[in-house]
Amino acid sequence: MSKNVIIIGGGIIGLCSAYYLQKAGHQVTVIDKSNMDSGASYVNAGYITPSHFISLASPGMISKGLKWMFSPQSPLYIKPRLDSDFLKWAWAFKKSATPSKVEKSIKPLLDINLLSRTLYEDLHQSNDFNFHYEKKGLLMCYKTDKVGEEEWEVGKRGIREGLQVEHLSQIEVSQLEPNANLNIKGAVYYHSDAHMTPNNFMNEMIVFLKSRGVSILKNEEVLDVEINCESISNVITNTQNLKCDEVVLAAGSWSPKISKKLGLKLLIQAGKGYSINVKHDTKIAIPAILCEAKVAVTPMDGFTRFAGTMELTGINHNINPVRVNAIAEASSSYYNELHITSEEKAQVKCGLRPCTPDGLPYIGKTSKYKNLTIATGHAMMGWSLGPATGQLVSDLISEKKTDLDIQAFNPDRGF
């Protein structure tokens, strides 16, 4: 049965949800408060990452965060603040960062990443799209033996989970990346990963959705909702009142603001990340994460993107030049011939990634409302998990059995 579905949020999760919902025969409206040409869905590293099966809330992350808090150039910065939402999130993060909980999250994270990679490949091979997509894997590059050992422990776990992973020496990396002139000790190489150019895909998807009758409302803000018998009957924006059969909340870092209007307590904190685009030839051919610096490097369509940092400072788009310089300097220390110019740094962009306390996204129906599906909290894997989340959202609303067991992503789960 065709339903009238309103999706709140026009990022990668919202657009992928719209794609699979319209494909299933539903009438879809996407609402976004922005012009839909910037933000995390446009400035991310473009990774499809089966390699990222260890959640952000891992043991030791709290102690690292406390140490990095006092360094203006650190990969992670948490701004201490007496904010009840932040304090609740931080306490839940602490409770989630245990070996047993991380272990329990490995399979669901890996499964949803693998499903999403398959769906991206299906989209790429279809006649509807022509976006940039390459499967060259991911190099986890390290400079110190300690970090190399840590990364290889994760890599060996990846092998046990069925991924193809190699531990490469510096010479072996240089044979794989002969022109990049990497200054490293070695790398753990995940063959499983792929990469894209995000803005290419986003622009193509918007054009495609419009051609299929999806209504996309840009620069329109959701102000309130009307409830009738445990269902959302209307979504009220700054310009109109829209009736609906189903609602999808996919507003990323802004989801808690909307969820509060519904009496829901979604624990999410915005994690700001920066990206620098380098348009001269870097000779970098394979995506890499520079492990000690936590910088992601992606050869995209016509440029190379250097992305990094995680700033938990609330919802804002303030650019910290110290952190931008840290990304540029770290990148140059791994690639001997790389120089990121002051002009390139001046063009830096930022985006806000919605982070849950346990590193798992919220995907599913909430028990409080009959017609609300939540799809948010994907943190640094939002791009990777876009199509899988969209397919799951469509299955739930179409009342079909999902391809995955999504209990781990239950938005009503406690911490």
Side-chain angles (χ1 to χ4, degrees):
M1 183 181 74
S2 176
K3 298 178 181 180
N4 177 17
V5 185
I6 290 179
I7 299 172
I8 303 173
I12 181 64
I13 303 300
L15 293 189
C16 285
S17 297
Y19 174 82
Y20 289 103
L21 283 163
Q22 64 79 30
K23 193 175 179 184
H26 302 291
Q27 294 298 118
V28 183
T29 299
V30 178
I31 305 172
D32 197 279
K33 65 186 294 186
S34 77
N35 197 42
M36 293 176 64
D37 58 3
S38 63
S41 293
Y42 292 83
V43 304
N44 66 85
Y47 289 165
I48 296 96
T49 53
S51 62
H52 286 38
F53 53 83
I54 302 296
S55 79
L56 181 64
S58 57
M61 187 56 71
I62 292 172
S63 58
K64 283 182 182 178
L66 291 172
K67 180 180 69 175
W68 284 337
M69 192 184 296
F70 301 100
S71 170
Q73 293 187 314
S74 65
L76 171 66
Y77 175 67
I78 302 172
K79 181 181 179 181
R81 53 197 187 276
L82 292 175
D83 172 82
S84 62
D85 290 339
F86 170 72
L87 294 173
K88 288 173 186 174
W89 183 93
W91 179 244
F93 185 98
K94 181 179 185 300
K95 290 196 294 181
S96 299
T98 66
S100 62
K101 290 186 177 180
V102 170
E103 178 68 27
K104 195 174 178 181
S105 71
I106 287 175
K107 184 174 177 11
L109 280 177
L110 182 56
D111 286 349
I112 193 171
N113 266 290
L114 289 171
L115 172 61
S116 218
R117 187 187 66 186
T118 298
L119 293 173
Y120 266 125
E121 289 170 352
D122 290 344
L123 290 169
H124 187 241
Q125 291 164 10
S126 75
N127 294 323
D128 297 324
F129 300 97
N130 189 36
F131 56 84
H132 167 235
Y133 176 94
E134 293 184 85
K135 187 172 177 287
K136 289 185 174 181
L138 178 68
L139 289 166
M140 303 294 292
C141 298
Y142 61 86
K143 284 175 168 287
T144 64
D145 291 331
K146 181 177 182 296
V147 171
E149 290 166 6
E150 291 171 354
E151 290 299 330
W152 182 229
E153 284 303 310
V154 177
K156 287 188 288 186
R157 180 54 190 270
I159 293 171
R160 294 200 298 274
E161 295 295 330
L163 299 181
Q164 184 183 355
V165 191
E166 293 183 272
H167 195 179
L168 304 180
S169 67
Q170 190 276 333
I171 292 173
E172 289 170 324
V173 174
S174 66
Q175 291 170 344
L176 199 64
E177 268 281 45
N179 302 314
N181 197 359
L182 274 155
N183 176 29
I184 57 173
K185 280 202 165 184
V188 175
Y189 183 37
Y190 289 86
H191 292 255
S192 53
D193 291 23
H195 68 283
M196 302 167 63
T197 303
N199 55 299
N200 287 4
F201 180 82
M202 293 293 287
N203 293 335
E204 282 194 35
M205 182 59 82
I206 289 170
V207 170
F208 176 83
L209 291 174
K210 286 181 177 179
S211 75
R212 295 303 168 98
V214 173
S215 178
I216 296 182
L217 307 179
K218 300 180 181 180
N219 301 306
E220 194 150 344
E221 185 174 3
V222 173
L223 300 179
D224 208 349
V225 293
E226 292 180 0
I227 310 297
N228 184 22
C229 298
E230 298 182 345
S231 291
I232 300 170
S233 58
N234 294 68
V235 173
I236 302 165
T237 75
N238 56 316
T239 67
Q240 58 188 311
N241 190 326
L242 299 166
K243 291 186 178 298
C244 56
D245 299 318
E246 296 275 349
V247 175
V248 179
L249 178 55
S253 295
W254 288 265
S255 297
K257 181 180 179 181
I258 298 169
S259 70
K260 284 181 179 179
K261 298 180 185 298
L262 295 160
L264 300 173
K265 296 178 181 178
L266 283 185
L267 293 184
I268 286 177
Q269 285 293 304
K272 187 192 301 175
Y274 299 124
S275 69
I276 305 169
N277 293 340
V278 173
K279 295 187 178 178
H280 61 265
D281 185 9
T282 61
K283 298 182 171 58
I284 297 169
I286 299 175
I289 290 181
L290 314 179
C291 292
E292 287 85 356
K294 307 294 184 192
V295 170
V297 183
T298 316
M300 293 189 177
D301 185 13
F303 60 95
T304 306
R305 176 165 289 173
F306 298 83
T309 81
M310 174 68 85
E311 280 187 30
L312 295 170
T313 57
I315 291 188
N316 66 78
H317 289 89
N318 302 329
I319 301 290
N320 184 335
V322 175
R323 296 192 169 282
V324 177
N325 283 326
I327 293 171
E329 290 170 9
S331 301
S332 296
S333 76
Y334 282 78
Y335 295 96
N336 286 321
E337 296 177 10
L338 175 69
H339 174 63
I340 298 177
T341 68
S342 56
E343 290 80 11
E344 288 162 339
K345 287 187 283 187
Q347 297 299 313
V348 67
K349 305 293 184 185
C350 72
L352 301 178
R353 299 161 293 195
C355 302
T356 64
D358 61 359
L360 295 169
Y362 297 123
I363 306 171
K365 294 276 190 179
T366 174
S367 59
K368 189 164 184 178
Y369 297 98
K370 297 174 183 176
N371 65 339
L372 174 64
T373 303
I374 293 175
T376 187
H378 295 72
M380 294 172 291
M381 289 185 286
W383 189 263
S384 184
L385 302 184
T389 303
Q391 179 68 73
L392 292 168
V393 165
S394 178
D395 288 344
L396 288 167
I397 289 175
S398 303
E399 299 176 28
K400 294 181 179 178
K401 181 176 172 56
T402 59
D403 288 337
L404 299 179
D405 178 358
I406 60 171
Q407 183 57 38
F409 310 130
N410 185 348
D412 291 336
R413 66 185 182 270
F415 296 100

